[in-house]
Amino acid sequence: MKTTLQRYLTRARDAVVWKLEGLGEYDVRRPLTPTGTNLLGLVKHLAIVESGYLGEVFGRPFADTVGWFEAHPEPEADLWAPAEESRADLLDLYARAAAHSDATIAALDLDAEGRVPHWPEERATVTLHQVLVHVIAETNRHGGHADIVRELVDGAAGLRRDNDNLGGLAAAQRQGHVARLERSARRAAALTD
């Protein structure tokens, strides 16, 4: 089971990193939602969060991110990259955080206990299994954000480089599909108004 969970986590990480490939600095950093969601910020966030959950929670701190939130108390500091933080450095941070997490996964049994200090006391004691599921969910959630942001940047879409998982519609068919959805949404709105 641990191997399966780790495989899902690795695939989710790879998908997030892939969303940055081929883009310039502006496009990996620019906010494309009203909340400021951007591709490089998602990578930074995942590196910091994963290293906390699969590091500090189990008494295996990752030196580069220990105390990160205390050192950066401004809201959402982990969700964007100032110009001085390079893409290469943040991708490297994510890779090193992932390697540290993988070492934690390898070293511990799924029932190994840890403590999440910022969770409510009644849920703060956790197992590696619980945390792995949480981190996989978190990574996939933000991977979905990355899917949408990348599509907004240049139209690139899909699950993975080798499998877009979009049903194989050609561009013209996709436009027809989107137009059909728009007509249906307008019709539904007219029926309920």
Side-chain angles (χ1 to χ4, degrees), residues 103-118:
T104 296
I105 295 165
L108 302 176
D109 292 328
L110 284 176
D111 60 355
E113 288 191 352
R115 189 166 191 295
V116 182
H118 58 275

Side-chain angles (χ1 to χ4, degrees), residues 23-108:
L23 295 178
E25 285 305 310
Y26 174 71
D27 286 331
V28 298
R29 295 168 183 271
R30 69 177 166 141
L32 284 162
T33 69
T35 59
T37 304
N38 63 91
L39 293 166
L40 194 56
L42 291 170
V43 169
K44 180 179 181 179
H45 172 74
L46 287 169
I48 294 164
V49 168
E50 181 175 325
S51 66
Y53 280 111
L54 289 167
E56 291 176 63
V57 165
F58 294 98
R60 300 172 54 88
F62 177 60
D64 292 1
T65 59
V66 169
W68 195 92
F69 286 102
E70 293 77 15
H72 301 85
E74 63 275 11
E76 301 185 351
D78 61 317
L79 289 166
W80 68 285
E84 299 76 30
E85 287 183 315
S86 77
R87 176 196 329 211
D89 287 345
L90 289 175
L91 287 170
D92 180 62
L93 176 68
Y94 192 31
R96 288 182 295 110
H100 184 82
S101 296
D102 290 345
T104 296
I105 295 165
L108 302 176

Side-chain angles (χ1 to χ4, degrees), residues 124-137:
T125 299
V126 294
T127 64
L128 177 62
H129 186 206
Q130 288 173 291
V131 170
L132 263 171
V133 170
H134 178 80
V135 171
I136 291 165

